[in-house]
């Protein structure tokens, strides 16, 4: 029996709660807040970006049925983090902060990016 290889967990340049700008695709140029990062598929849901229409079937409570607009997912490579200090898109890196813990920083300004946790 062969042994299953487990790959290391991905580290992405964006997290839930970050403000990002879309750099490619149909929604190019739009800004929004990341609602969720889907690690298994390397994708993220961004508020107001990549809107899709879902059809809902008629039910007893909703006899007409309806069309619901929701956010679709967009690939991580098409997103760029917006630097909280300047408000401009920036690349990110990781370096140790004063406490010795790795933290994201803006490659444009060199300042650390604060961690924002958003839970639903």
């Amino acid at each position: 029996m062969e042994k299953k290889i487990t790959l290391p967990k991905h580290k992405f340049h964006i997290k839930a709660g970050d403000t990002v700008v879309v750099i490619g695709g149909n929604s190019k140029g739009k800004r929004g807040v990341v609602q969720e990062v889907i690690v298994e598929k390397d994708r993220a849901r961004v508020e107001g970006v990549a809107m899709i229409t879902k059809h809902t079937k008629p039910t007893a409570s909703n006899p007409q049925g309806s069309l619901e607009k929701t956010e679709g997912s967009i690939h991580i490579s098409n997103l760029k983090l917006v630097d909280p200090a300047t408000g401009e898109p920036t690349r990110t890196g990781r370096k140790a902060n004063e406490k010795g813990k790795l933290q994201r920083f803006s490659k444009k300004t060199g300042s650390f990016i604060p961690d924002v946790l958003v839970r639903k």
Side-chain angles (χ1 to χ4, degrees), residues 28-108:
K28 185 176 182 177
K30 289 186 181 179
R31 287 179 183 233
V33 177
V34 177
Q35 295 176 332
E36 169 189 20
V37 176
I38 306 164
V39 178
E40 301 83 31
K41 296 182 179 180
D42 296 345
R43 298 178 81 81
R45 288 193 205 289
V46 181
E47 188 177 310
V49 175
M51 298 301 284
I52 58 173
T53 305
K54 286 194 168 194
H55 299 259
T56 55
K57 283 188 169 184
T59 60
S61 61
N62 185 11
Q64 274 301 99
S66 64
L67 296 173
E68 296 178 2
K69 287 206 170 259
T70 58
E71 287 90 5
S73 62
I74 188 167
H75 199 269
I76 293 277
S77 65
N78 292 326
L79 300 174
K80 203 170 206 181
L81 184 71
V82 173
D83 189 0
T86 62
E88 291 188 20
T90 181
R91 293 181 302 137
T92 59
R94 294 177 192 279
K95 66 180 175 182
N97 60 10
E98 305 84 38
K99 298 177 183 175
K101 185 180 177 190
L102 281 181
Q103 190 175 358
R104 297 179 301 162
F105 74 98
S106 166
K107 288 197 173 184
K108 216 173 231 188

